[in-house]
């Protein structure tokens, strides 16, 4: 069976594009009676972003706590609250934030039209009914959440990190305004942006390939190199480039390789955020990705980014076990790069030795 791939329906790119959000939301109000619902990263709670949004009486503004990555329980809480506050389905749901905020918008939107709990839809194509119309305006670039067909959710009870993979999870409209990333702290900008580079080179150096994915991933890698090997990754030009690279990288969404499993181990065992965990992972994979490792070290140096060392130096045996198990469980990506005998290369000792070097 050939996969029938879906893309985001509409997108616009350009400095100041946020001013057009009003038009996009008004067009939705014209065809649907319900309110608009805005999801904003809690980082914006005391900023003036809210005042720049076309919020009308009856609309809802939800501040998303992104201290930790989204959980299924948190999605259930937001969805229940929203259902109690609005009597009609929203005319549109708008996300302004990074990956966590966009994924929250996607998950809650699915729960507006599908009964039950978030965990019921963790998996592939389990969402039955189309969600309300969704618009994304990323304020951080790199995860590709603006154009992926999933929303990554941690299910604490089941000890499972899995999204609602569905065509219904995708945004209908993406608005890429590089002005929105102007005030991101440099470290966070780097850790998030470099996620695109990682996804894409992992996919390009794997064995499960696809020509369209390769073309998008190659372009995204080229753009990331331009950005992170330049003097200032946050120049006006580079911030726009980063948004486009993230968008292309998200569309590529091929199979990852070894970086993401090691990163997932760090997230599960030590609760590290995805972006910085990726950086730690690649920093000890010099034998598996020599060329990319070398470029990455140069990128960090050029952008003045430092990874504090020794994060896994003195852990308990139980923690090292959790790091190993949380990595080795990712069979598909590991075999994508290392072949079916990946366990012979990444033995427990080999992996723990790498963690100790971080
Ligand atoms: Fe990633």
């Amino acid at each position: 069976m050939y996969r029938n791939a879906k893309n985001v329906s509409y997108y616009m790119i350009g400095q100041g594009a946020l001013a057009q959000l009003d038009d996009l939301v008004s067009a939705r109000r014209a065809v649907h009676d319900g309110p608009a619902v805005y999801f904003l990263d809690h980082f914006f709670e005391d900023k003036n972003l809210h005042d720049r949004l076309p919020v009308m009486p009856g609309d809802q503004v939800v501040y998303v706590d992104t201290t930790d990555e989204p959980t299924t329980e948190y999605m259930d809480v937001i969805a229940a609250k929203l259902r109690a506050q609005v009597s009609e389905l929203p005319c549109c749901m708008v996300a302004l934030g990074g990956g966590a905020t966009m994924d929250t918008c996607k998950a809650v939107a699915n729960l507006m039209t599908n009964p039950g709990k978030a965990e019921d839809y963790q998996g592939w194509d389990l969402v039955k009914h189309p969600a309300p119309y969704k618009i994304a305006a990323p304020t951080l670039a790199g995860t590709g959440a603006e154009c992926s067909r999933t929303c990554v959710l941690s299910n604490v009870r089941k000890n499972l990190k899995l999204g609602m993979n569905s065509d219904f999870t995708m945004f209908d409209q993406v608005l890429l305004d590089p002005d929105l990333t102007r005030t991101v702290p440099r470290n966070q900008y780097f850790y998030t942006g470099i996620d695109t580079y990682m996804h894409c080179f992992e996919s390009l150096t794997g064995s499960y390939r696809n020509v369209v994915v390769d073309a998008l991933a190659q372009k995204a890698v080229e753009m990331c190199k331009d950005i992170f090997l330049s003097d200032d990754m946050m120049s006006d030009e580079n911030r726009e480039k980063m948004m486009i690279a993230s968008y292309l990288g998200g569309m590529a969404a091929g199979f990852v390789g070894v970086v993401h499993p090691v990163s997932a181990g760090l997230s599960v065992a030590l609760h590290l955020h995805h972006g910085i965990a990726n950086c730690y992972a690649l920093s000890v994979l010099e034998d598996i990705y020599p060329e990319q490792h070398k470029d990455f070290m140069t990128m960090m140096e050029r952008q003045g980014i430092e990874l504090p060392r020794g994060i896994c130096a003195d852990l308990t045996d139980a923690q090292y076990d959790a790091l190993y198990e949380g990595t080795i469980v990712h069979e598909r990506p590991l075999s994508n790069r290392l072949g079916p005998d990946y366990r012979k290369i990444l033995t427990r000792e080999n992996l723990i030795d790498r963690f100790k070097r971080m």
Side-chain angles (χ1 to χ4, degrees), residues 195 199 260 274 278:
D195 195 16
H199 279 88
H260 272 73
H274 181 62
N278 280 344

Side-chain angles (χ1 to χ4, degrees), residues 255-277:
F255 285 104
V256 289
V258 185
V259 175
H260 272 73
V262 174
S263 166
L266 287 165
S267 291
V268 170
L270 304 178
H271 305 289
L272 244 63
H273 274 235
H274 181 62
I276 191 167

Side-chain angles (χ1 to χ4, degrees), residues 15 19-20 64 80 84 100 106 118 132 143 150 173 179 183 206 216 250 265 272:
Q15 205 180 345
Q20 279 173 257
V64 181
K106 291 164 158 183
T143 64
T150 190
Q173 167 83 55
D179 272 353
T183 55
L216 293 164
L272 244 63

